[in-house]
Amino acid sequence: MPLIKQYVANPELVELSREMLSKSSKTRREHPALAAITSSIDSELQLYMQTLGMARELFLDTFDTALGTLRLDLAMAMHEKNFTEVVNNDVCYTLAWSLDACVNKQTMDDTGVSDLQRFFDDVGTENAPYGDIALMMSSPYVRHLLARHILAILEEIAPNAEHSARQANLKQPKIMLAMGLSAHTLILDNDAAIPRTDNRVTRVFFPDILRSIKTAQARDRPSGASSLSSGDTRNKRLRLDQESPEMAVNGMEPTPVDQDILASSELARQVLYCFLLKRVDGMDLGMLNLWLPTLTQALPRLLELAADDELLRADS
């Protein structure tokens, strides 16, 4: 347990999880904090399983998502060391393999999605290790990957959302992200099942964010943009927002229901964060002015819910 706590508290690893750079996986795998844990396990299956159990136990106490990253990296470290017995007895190894490939590329392509779907098909629903799966999904690297993938699907279908067959492709990453966000419950509950997401996220929030995405895509292609450089295009949109931000996003305002959803759904917030980060990169002040107040207004309700959770934990 002390080695695991040192891993979680390591400032270098904490900073890496905030930066989400492509080199992060290699840096983590070679980090002394992880090497100390893998050396203590060596090729001993029993020690490996005990270490995973301690990671789950510490997660229940701390809610620290660095333990999700540790779960992923331990599985891959065992693979890299060719510890066959350990790998063959880790039911989440193929999940780790598929997620790791996506995290390294910082994107989920069709192959990655198919590999992940195959894992869930193979593991079934009866006696599925939902706690271990959810712990791995709770890693900030995996959560960010899944939220970006959901946003990428929304961006793809935005031009013709009502008729897009790609809508169905939102289901699997949405479930996986929900599992990562519900990891504590899934580890704690012996009869855990795949968590259900607030249906308002799909029914209300996604259509509203789709309208914003479609507008943002149009704003990324202002009149005459084909002859402009990327910087010029950004400056043109910046001038447009400074002159008339209301007209630029008129009729796109988030609703009070959106605010309520953002207050109660971390999944919705994760997708919105990814969208707004892209808008920051594009200097899209109009779209930022549209959504940031709604997100800010949702914070008091969000903090109230968090305080209620703390009280429940103290009573349990």
Side-chain angles (χ1 to χ4, degrees):
M1 187 72 82
L3 290 177
I4 297 176
K5 289 182 177 179
Q6 289 171 21
Y7 171 94
V8 169
N10 186 277
E12 271 187 281
L13 295 175
V14 170
E15 187 62 28
L16 276 176
S17 70
R18 292 173 180 157
E19 293 175 351
M20 298 288 177
L21 300 175
S22 56
K23 65 179 181 180
S24 295
S25 292
K26 185 176 186 295
T27 306
R28 290 196 325 269
R29 298 284 162 70
E30 297 175 352
H31 199 278
L34 180 64
I37 298 173
T38 56
S39 295
S40 70
I41 297 170
D42 197 40
S43 60
E44 294 296 324
L45 176 61
Q46 185 176 356
L47 288 177
Y48 179 73
M49 293 303 178
Q50 287 174 349
T51 303
L52 297 186
M54 286 187 285
R56 290 192 297 271
E57 181 182 333
L58 187 58
F59 183 83
L60 290 177
D61 289 340
T62 65
F63 287 75
D64 197 320
T65 56
L67 292 157
T69 305
L70 175 62
R71 177 65 179 91
L72 172 65
D73 283 346
L74 277 177
M76 294 310 299
M78 296 298 107
H79 162 80
E80 289 167 2
K81 290 178 178 292
N82 293 316
F83 292 157
T84 307
E85 184 185 10
V86 174
V87 168
N88 290 344
N89 283 277
D90 185 351
V91 71
C92 289
Y93 162 68
T94 55
L95 173 63
W97 172 269
S98 301
L99 285 175
D100 184 66
C102 294
V103 169
N104 285 338
K105 293 183 291 186
Q106 293 193 309
T107 187
M108 291 182 73
D109 55 21
D110 290 341
T111 300
V113 172
S114 298
D115 289 344
L116 289 167
Q117 183 63 61
R118 192 177 304 114
F119 167 80
F120 281 95
D121 291 342
D122 291 344
V123 79
T125 55
E126 290 188 17
N127 302 316
Y130 287 129
D132 254 5
I133 294 171
L135 180 59
M136 202 176 287
M137 295 291 183
S138 75
S139 164
Y141 296 94
V142 176
R143 291 201 328 264
H144 183 63
L145 172 76
L146 291 168
R148 283 180 56 190
H149 184 57
I150 290 171
L151 178 63
I153 295 173
L154 291 171
E155 288 174 334
E156 184 180 337
I157 67 179
N160 192 24
E162 294 181 0
H163 305 289
S164 177
R166 288 278 286 168
Q167 289 268 13
N169 293 355
L170 289 166
K171 181 179 179 180
Q172 192 63 40
K174 194 174 71 169
I175 288 173
M176 290 190 288
L177 182 53
M179 291 184 74
L181 297 171
S182 305
H184 191 272
T185 300
L186 293 175
I187 294 171
L188 199 59
D189 189 353
N190 291 328
D191 299 317
I194 293 176
R196 293 184 178 181
T197 57
D198 185 343
N199 64 7
R200 296 179 306 165
V201 173
T202 302
R203 186 169 45 85
V204 178
F205 176 73
F206 279 176
D208 286 351
I209 198 73
L210 272 169
R211 283 192 288 273
S212 290
I213 291 170
K214 186 174 182 178
T215 299
Q217 289 171 341
R219 290 159 63 78
D220 286 340
R221 297 186 298 272
S223 177
S226 59
S227 61
L228 298 174
S229 68
S230 175
D232 288 338
T233 302
R234 291 179 181 180
N235 290 334
K236 184 170 184 177
R237 183 172 55 243
L238 183 60
R239 290 195 301 272
L240 180 147
D241 287 330
Q242 290 170 338
E243 292 166 6
S244 182
E246 293 82 12
M247 286 184 63
V249 294
N250 187 36
M252 309 299 300
E253 293 79 5
T255 68
V257 179
D258 288 317
Q259 180 181 322
D260 188 53
I261 293 169
L262 289 168
S264 59
S265 172
E266 180 64 19
L267 190 152
R269 290 194 296 274
Q270 293 275 328
V271 175
L272 181 60
Y273 295 154
C274 289
F275 174 64
L276 293 180
L277 282 172
K278 292 191 75 170
R279 293 299 92 204
V280 168
D281 184 58
M283 298 184 185
D284 191 346
L285 297 185
M287 201 58 69
L288 293 171
N289 288 335
L290 189 72
W291 278 100
L292 283 175
T294 299
L295 188 58
T296 303
Q297 290 162 13
L299 284 177
R301 174 62 179 148
L302 171 59
L303 295 173
E304 179 184 327
L305 292 171
D308 290 344
D309 285 345
E310 286 294 335
L311 289 173
L312 288 173
R313 284 180 220 163
D315 292 339
S316 59

